[in-house]
Structure formats: C-alpha cells, structure tokens
C-alpha cells in the first residue's frame, strides 16, 4: 500500500443502489472488511458464532439486531458490539460506510463500558489528561487489540515498532505520523496504515484523539 493516509470512502467508495465489501487484509485470523452501502440499500440479518465489531466511518444508517429486529442508529465514529449468535443486518436511507471486525478467538476481553447492541461514540469514551497520553483498551484477544488514545497538547509517542499490522484512525484534532523516515499529517476522519514492525511515531498538533486497530499474527 503506497498511500498510507486514507479514508474508508477512498478504499471502498459508495456505489448507487449497491452494497460492496472489500477486505482490509490486516490478517487472516482477524477478518477486517470495509463495507459501503448505497442510499436505500440493506443487508439481510445474519449472525456469526463469535463477537463482531462495527466501526462506522461515514454516513448514517441503522443496524437491525436480534430476533425481534429492533433497530439502532449509527453515525460516524461510533462503535457497535454484536455478541455471538445475535442476528445483525443493516440499512441506510442516504449511504453508509463502516468497518466489520470479526473476533474469532474465544478468549476475547471487552471493556465493561461497552454495552452489546448499543452504538457508542468513540471519542466520548476517553478524556484528555493534563500533560499526558491516555489509553483505553476497548477489546483485546491473543491476536488483536482495539484501543483509544487521547494526547494532550505537546505530547506524542517516540518512534517504535509494533508486532502486527495496524490501522490508526484520527477521531479528533490533528497529528503528525512519522513512518519509516517520512512525516504524514493526519486529521479527524482520516486513517493511517502501518505494517508489522514498521517504525512509527505520533506527535499531537494540539489535542488529539485516535483509535488503533492492531492485528497480531
């Protein structure tokens, strides 16, 4: 992947009257897929035998959950956790982009602040701490981790390497991402991909919040 900074709409553009999916290819054991739904489209409810995460990127729509088919509304930068064997479908009147993360491992640990079937605004889950970098683990297993981070002004992560492929998404503010000797500006709504063992850093430009999806394989 040559363009490290991207949006989900660039990776999987919305097509009129169509639903389209594209694998993110972060790893085989943690399927991560980008979905785009055109205005007026829907996906029939189905279920997985494991926990699934849905991360809304752009647009708005509804997820249809459970045997009773109750609907919940999702908007950009919301997280929806769907437990094993719960029916889940989706529909949108105006268009919707989201990421699906299937957690195959049984030993998945969830943060208790996340409630199944209730969309949650990601950036509201974590607060800024004076002069500090705050971390909040949302879910982790042996082969993946999804984390939120809040950087106070003047803070950052020095260059380091991670043992897996990852996608970092800016939720609020702006930062400079250093990657293998080059600098990239990242603003809210944009994502950055780095490969396993890629040397990277984060320097907040003012206050900055981000999510990190790390696949360990």
């Amino acid at each position: 992947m040559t363009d490290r900074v991207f949006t989900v709409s660039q990776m999987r553009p919305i097509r009129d009257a169509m639903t389209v999916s594209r694998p993110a290819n972060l790893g085989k054991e943690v399927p991560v897929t980008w979905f785009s739904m055109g205005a007026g489209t829907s996906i029939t409810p189905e279920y997985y035998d494991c926990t699934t995460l849905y991360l809304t990127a752009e647009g708005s729509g509804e997820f249809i959950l459970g045997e009773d088919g109750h609907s919940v509304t999702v908007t950009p930068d919301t997280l929806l956790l769907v437990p094993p064997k719960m029916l889940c479908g989706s529909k949108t009147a105006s268009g919707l982009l989201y990421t699906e993360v299937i957690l195959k491992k049984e030993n998945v640990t969830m943060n208790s602040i996340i409630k199944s079937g209730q969309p949650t605004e990601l950036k509201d889950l974590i607060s800024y701490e004076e002069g500090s970098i705050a971390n909040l683990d949302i879910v982790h297993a042996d082969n993946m981790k999804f984390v939120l981070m809040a950087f106070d002004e003047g803070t950052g992560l020095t260059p380091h390497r991670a043992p897996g492929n990852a996608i970092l998404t800016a939720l609020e503010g702006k930062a400079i991402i250093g990657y293998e000797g080059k600098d990239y500006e990242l603003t809210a709504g944009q994502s950055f991909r780095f490969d396993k063992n890629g040397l990277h850093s984060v320097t907040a430009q003012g206050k900055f919040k981000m999510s990190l999806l790390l696949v360990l394989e």
Side-chain angles (χ1 to χ4, degrees):
M1 181 175 181
T2 56
D3 189 3
R4 294 283 170 184
V5 178
F6 66 94
T7 63
V8 174
S9 62
Q10 290 171 328
M11 304 305 296
R12 183 49 272 152
I14 289 177
R15 302 301 185 203
D16 289 343
M18 298 173 65
T19 62
V20 188
S21 63
R22 176 179 177 177
N25 295 319
L26 284 185
K28 295 180 181 179
E29 294 302 315
V30 184
V32 178
T33 307
W34 293 305
F35 280 82
S36 69
M37 301 180 65
T41 63
S42 63
I43 296 176
T44 303
E46 57 186 15
Y47 70 82
Y48 295 109
D49 291 333
C50 53
T51 300
T52 310
L53 302 179
Y54 294 94
L55 305 168
T56 307
E58 296 180 31
S60 63
E62 296 175 69
F63 277 78
I64 313 303
L65 303 176
E67 296 289 345
D68 62 350
H70 68 278
S71 64
V72 295
T73 300
V74 294
T75 54
D77 295 329
T78 57
L79 166 70
L80 176 66
L81 184 155
V82 177
K85 301 185 185 304
M86 175 180 278
L87 284 170
C88 177
S90 54
K91 63 180 181 180
T92 177
S94 57
L96 178 65
L97 295 167
Y98 63 87
T99 303
E100 177 188 75
V101 184
I102 301 175
L103 307 179
K104 292 182 177 180
K105 293 286 187 178
E106 293 183 1
N107 58 336
V108 174
T109 302
M110 299 286 176
N111 193 307
S112 61
I113 64 175
I114 303 298
K115 308 302 179 185
S116 296
Q118 298 180 18
T120 306
E121 185 80 21
L122 286 173
K123 66 183 179 181
D124 292 342
L125 292 176
I126 189 168
S127 61
Y128 293 108
E129 301 297 327
E130 184 177 357
S132 305
I133 302 171
N135 291 263
L136 181 66
D137 281 5
I138 299 299
V139 55
H140 69 266
D142 292 340
N143 59 358
M144 68 81 61
K145 199 169 193 179
F146 183 65
V147 184
L148 300 182
M149 301 182 71
F151 295 74
D152 196 19
E153 185 172 359
T155 64
L157 298 176
T158 57
H160 62 286
R161 303 181 191 273
N165 298 322
I167 292 177
L168 179 163
T169 300
L171 302 174
E172 184 174 85
K174 181 170 64 176
I176 300 298
I177 309 299
Y179 185 78
E180 295 292 352
K182 294 183 179 181
D183 288 340
Y184 303 82
E185 184 176 273
L186 197 70
T187 59
Q190 293 181 316
S191 296
F192 187 91
R193 179 171 181 152
F194 60 83
D195 299 328
K196 182 177 180 178
N197 294 323
L199 184 65
H200 61 282
S201 62
V202 179
T203 304
Q205 306 295 287
K207 293 179 181 292
F208 176 67
K209 291 183 180 180
M210 61 174 244
S211 67
L212 178 68
L213 175 60
L214 176 65
V215 175
L216 304 165
E217 292 186 3

